[in-house]
Amino acid sequence: MSQFAVEACQLVKKFPARPGTGDKPLEGEPASSQRKRRRLFGKKEPKAMFTAVNGVDLQIQYGEIFGLLGPNGAGKSTTIRMLCTLLEPTSGTAHINGYDIVKQANDVRRSLGTVLAGERSIYWKLTGRENLEYFAALYHIPPAIAKKRVDELIERMELKDRANELVEKYSTGMRQRVAIAKALLARPPILLLDEPTLGLDPQAARNLRELIAQLKQEGHTILLTTHYMEEADQLSDRIGIIDAGKIIALDTPEGLKRRIDRKEIIRLEVSGWQDYIGEKLRAMREVESLVARRQNESDLWEVNLQATDSRVVLPKLMESISQNGTRLVNMNIVKPSLEDVFIHLTGKALRD
Amino acid sequence: MQLTTLSQPSLTTHLRALFVIARKDWKVFWRYPLNALSSVFQPIIWITPVYFMGKAFSTNGQAAGFAAYSGTGDYMSYILLGTVLTNFIMTVFWGMGYALKNDMDSGVLESNWLTPIPRLLILVGRTLTSILTTTITSATMLILAGLLFGFRPTGSTFAAILTAVPMLVGLYGFGFAFAGVVLLMREANTLVDVGSFLVQGFSGTNFPVQSLPYWLIPISLMLPLTYGLDAVRGFLLKTNTLLPIPAEIAILLFSMFVMLWIGAQVFHRVERRVRTLGTLGQH
Amino acid sequence: METTFIPRSLGQPGLLSDVRAFLAVVRREWIIFTRYPSWIIALFIWPLIFPMMYILTARALSGPDGSGLAVFIATTGATDYIGYIIVGTTVWMWQNIVLWDVGFALRNEQMRGTLESNWLTPTWRFSYLLGQTGPQIVTMAMFIGVTALEFGLLFGIRLNGSPWMLGLMMLAAIPAIYGLGFAFASLVITVKEANAFVFLIRGMVMIFCGITFPVAILPAWMQTFAKWLPQTYLIHGMRAAAFAKAGVKELLPDLIPLLSFGAFWLAVGYFTFLWMERRARKSGAIGQY
């Protein structure tokens, strides 16, 4: 048996870029390779490829919770889809529970419980119980064991009262619990959870996070993707930060935060923000990065600024902000969070 | 500061809304060229079995049995004309009920209905484009089918078209009521299929209603469409008509007003009820 | 390295497990089918309405004095034009419904979002298609039963020949009709605007296979083309079995080509499925819609 629960080596996935969707080849791709393609196919328009995952390496230990953190479109879901055998990588290899994801796909499927993003992974016209019984058969669980297991999971997921109602009558949180129960049916050693708390209300999300922590206690290895930094911070033993198809940092949450320990994070709320102010501040040597984003269509902007020395930055900051109707509403100097790590690494916010 | 809304309804803004809806549909239509092709070829495919079946009933290209009912042995021209009219009938049927269903499914119905445009106007707007595209595809179909099977009108085209107008306008009333039913039932496919199939059958698209079994004829006579089809054929193919043509036209005009009124009533009732139930956004 | 307890999977691979998975698909399909009540209306209305259009036209063509009908009897040898038409339209409906039901089986799962969760399991994937076929054959049998019942009661249509021979013809048609459905189901996943293919196939059946007329009345080139469509043999054989009291020996010229086409289309269906599965894994197409 392999030493790692999940091991990926230089995983790459390219899709043909669909015209009009705004997909474009990653910057980074050398212009020479594009030129070469053009020559190879003569006059034909070169087929533009969109690189969704660009050389991902992962080594996840048994029993570990590993968080894959990144903004939408960073390649999290594509990575998960390759690992759970729905997609074949363009190049690179990966092993799940020691099985090759391309050559031993069925063994991989037996070792995995996967919850994909979105709530439409179960049948709405079946009851919760019927869904689980159905998938138990598909996961090749013998009937006697399946029956016990389904009961057990229904109990555990607190679906007992409504297990015999159609899923279409469930709330989003309940549907998500059925989907998770489905993933747990075969008691797979490894769980892949793609944005598991997406669309859940805060209470349901909290319960789910507790459940994930329990599952770890029971010995499951968990790979979860998220774009909520608190979630990744709270749950994960280790975190990989993924951006533009590449893992740009991989460490424990503490380790990641330690990287910008000496930085000072200034968080501002400003009304009437102008882009040129940002340009001016970024030009300062002491300013490492600056991200401004508008708060829900209002006139208020949230500005995140990382600086090496706030004593130099602050006076200049106050000066530039109090001009032309721009006003400072609130200001904090805060402890670095994972989001700040992300901003530090990429120069952009996790959520726009 | 007091905000004044930018929305200032007038006849022009209503017309513009109508135009915008129609233009959107027009663009969408041509984005699916296969659909356009299919609306040309589908009717031809469906009447091909009739053509060959007719041959099995004919000697030397003359269907004597058919002529005894309709007054013409040229059954293909008779049926082709019925098919073209059916295309328009279906357009009004589907155009509103089905567009409504589509909008409900894709979730844009509510955002359309949040605008201050009268609902019926939106419904009519949805059919303007389809009337135009139906005219284009029907004309193409008729030319092709004419080449394949032969189409030989002998009478006045102008009078026939003039007769078809009140029939189509009256159909809008039918369409309104039907759109209301779709709003309530939300499952339109079977209804549209069965509904249009029955109306098509009983109004005599493919055969003279005189040939129906006696107990079915009253159903045909209750449909204003029957007289429309009959009168149009009377003008264009000089067939035997059920009633004298002027009487049929009078029936058409009268029923046009009645159907429009009833249709609008039904739709408004249903719409109010749906608003009370709050089921508009569900599907 | 510290040792962690690793849960052992409850899944037990094996032939028996795959058979159970297949049965689970059949059961699921059946449950969902019975939960959409609108099929009942469709089941009773369509068998009656669809042939009616052609039957009533045929009635008009017969003429009030039956002069047209005499010509029809002379050309076709069939005395009962209603039964003659029903056989043809039923075969057309059968193929049509299979194309929609089986043909869109995977597509519908794709749109519901459940295709991927099925794909995630270690089950033989062709089971998903095969499993859908079971309930489909049952409902189709009901459909044909209702057709016979309705026309028997309302129009007094009676079977002249042996119901066993009629059943044999239909049984022999299953591989061809469903094989086409399988091939189609896989195509639909990867090709946009697949509805056009349904229209194409059912259109060909409508034009060439003689659903309301004897194929012999077609121009020569059309007759040649009709020979390449299995439905032609099915319609011909069913008419012979139902109304001309044909036995196995008389039906062989229809049975043999029908079964050969069946083997061909089943193979095409299976390989198209494999091709689609492969392609979908490369492009990720099964998750998109």
Side-chain angles (χ1 to χ4, degrees), chain B residues 31-35 38 42 44-50 52-59 63-69 75 79 187 190 193-194 197-198 200-202 206-208 211-216, chain C residues 38 41-42 45-46 49-50 52-65 67-69 71-73 75-76 81 85 92 193 196 199-200 202-204 206-207 211-214 217-219 222:
Chain B
R31 215 157 277 166
Y32 298 91
L34 273 179
N35 276 352
S38 139
Q42 280 298 311
I44 296 185
I45 291 172
W46 281 72
I47 53 177
T48 304
V50 178
F52 288 113
M53 182 169 75
K55 279 196 152 182
F57 280 92
S58 312
T59 32
F66 194 83
Y69 279 122
Y75 65 94
I79 290 168
E187 218 291 301
T190 314
D193 287 352
V194 173
F197 218 96
L198 282 178
Q200 190 186 336
F202 282 116
N206 282 337
F207 47 83
S211 74
L212 281 172
Y214 288 120
W215 53 281
L216 286 175
Chain C
S38 62
I41 310 172
I45 290 188
W46 282 119
I49 282 190
F50 177 68
M52 278 312 264
M53 187 176 95
Y54 293 115
I55 290 172
L56 290 175
T57 309
R59 197 184 145 92
L61 286 162
S62 303
D65 51 356
S67 58
L69 187 59
V71 180
F72 179 80
I73 293 171
T75 1
T76 62
Y81 70 89
I85 290 172
W92 183 86
E193 291 204 63
F199 292 133
L200 183 75
R202 69 180 207 186
M204 290 198 320
M206 204 169 234
I207 294 175
I211 65 169
T212 58
F213 51 87
I217 213 166
L218 291 172
M222 288 177 81

Side-chain angles (χ1 to χ4, degrees), chain B residues 178-261:
Chain B
F178 187 73
V181 175
V182 171
L183 265 189
L184 264 189
M185 308 256 306
R186 275 176 273 153
E187 218 291 301
N189 284 348
T190 314
L191 255 173
V192 170
D193 287 352
V194 173
S196 51
F197 218 96
L198 282 178
V199 171
Q200 190 186 336
F202 282 116
S203 55
T205 308
N206 282 337
F207 47 83
V209 296
Q210 294 93 317
S211 74
L212 281 172
Y214 288 120
W215 53 281
L216 286 175
I217 290 182
I219 303 179
S220 288
L221 295 184
M222 279 191 296
L223 294 171
L225 280 177
T226 308
Y227 304 102
L229 279 165
D230 203 45
V232 170
R233 280 182 180 131
F235 275 126
L236 214 51
L237 303 175
K238 310 234 172 80
T239 50
N240 304 337
T241 51
L242 291 162
L243 303 171
I245 289 184
E248 293 194 325
I249 290 176
I251 293 178
L252 275 181
L253 283 172
F254 175 73
S255 66
M256 174 182 90
F257 289 111
V258 174
M259 293 216 304
L260 276 181
W261 185 78

Side-chain angles (χ1 to χ4, degrees), chain A residues 96-159:
Chain A
I96 301 274
N97 207 16
Y99 300 115
D100 187 292
I101 57 164
V102 178
K103 292 179 197 122
Q104 295 165 295
N106 262 341
D107 294 309
V108 170
R109 289 175 199 137
R110 275 198 305 126
S111 312
L112 277 181
T114 308
V115 180
L116 293 173
E119 50 178 345
R120 281 238 163 220
S121 62
I122 46 174
Y123 293 92
W124 287 26
K125 279 282 168 186
L126 295 182
T127 67
R129 183 185 295 279
E130 283 165 348
N131 263 295
L132 293 180
E133 284 169 352
Y134 169 71
F135 280 108
L138 262 59
Y139 277 106
H140 289 172
I141 306 172
I145 303 176
K147 196 180 170 326
K148 256 174 44 198
R149 183 71 179 155
V150 168
D151 284 337
E152 196 181 302
L153 284 169
I154 285 175
E155 184 89 34
R156 171 161 196 184
M157 295 291 157
E158 292 163 23
L159 293 164

Side-chain angles (χ1 to χ4, degrees), chain C residues 49-171:
Chain C
I49 282 190
F50 177 68
M52 278 312 264
M53 187 176 95
Y54 293 115
I55 290 172
L56 290 175
T57 309
R59 197 184 145 92
L61 286 162
S62 303
D65 51 356
S67 58
L69 187 59
V71 180
F72 179 80
I73 293 171
T75 1
T76 62
T79 48
D80 178 0
Y81 70 89
I82 298 181
Y84 190 88
I85 290 172
I86 292 170
V87 168
T89 54
T90 303
V91 168
W92 183 86
M93 296 271 276
W94 188 7
Q95 185 68 69
N96 182 40
I97 294 175
V98 165
L99 285 177
W100 289 114
D101 279 7
V102 177
F104 278 77
L106 296 176
R107 178 73 176 158
N108 288 338
E109 295 254 355
Q110 189 184 26
M111 304 231 284
R112 270 187 251 162
T114 42
L115 188 58
E116 288 195 318
S117 22
N118 282 305
W119 248 225
L120 285 171
T121 67
T123 290
W124 185 48
R125 288 178 173 176
F126 201 59
S127 320
Y128 305 123
L129 264 187
L130 279 182
Q132 309 252 14
T133 307
Q136 215 287 327
I137 290 181
V138 174
T139 51
M140 211 52 233
M142 281 159 73
F143 189 91
I144 292 169
V146 169
T147 311
L149 199 73
E150 285 178 342
F151 281 93
L153 289 176
L154 294 175
F155 293 86
I157 303 299
R158 292 287 174 271
L159 201 62
N160 236 340
S162 149
W164 297 109
M165 288 300 114
L166 196 60
L168 180 72
M169 277 313 297
M170 287 194 268
L171 214 59

Side-chain angles (χ1 to χ4, degrees), chain A residues 328-340:
Chain A
L328 181 63
V329 179
N330 196 354
M331 181 176 87
N332 282 309
I333 298 181
V334 293
K335 261 183 71 179
S337 70
L338 277 179
E339 166 130 44
D340 298 311

Side-chain angles (χ1 to χ4, degrees), chain B residues 159-179:
Chain B
I161 291 178
L162 214 59
T163 314
V165 170
M167 176 171 76
L168 276 181
V169 174
L171 265 174
Y172 272 92
F174 216 91
F176 292 152
F178 187 73

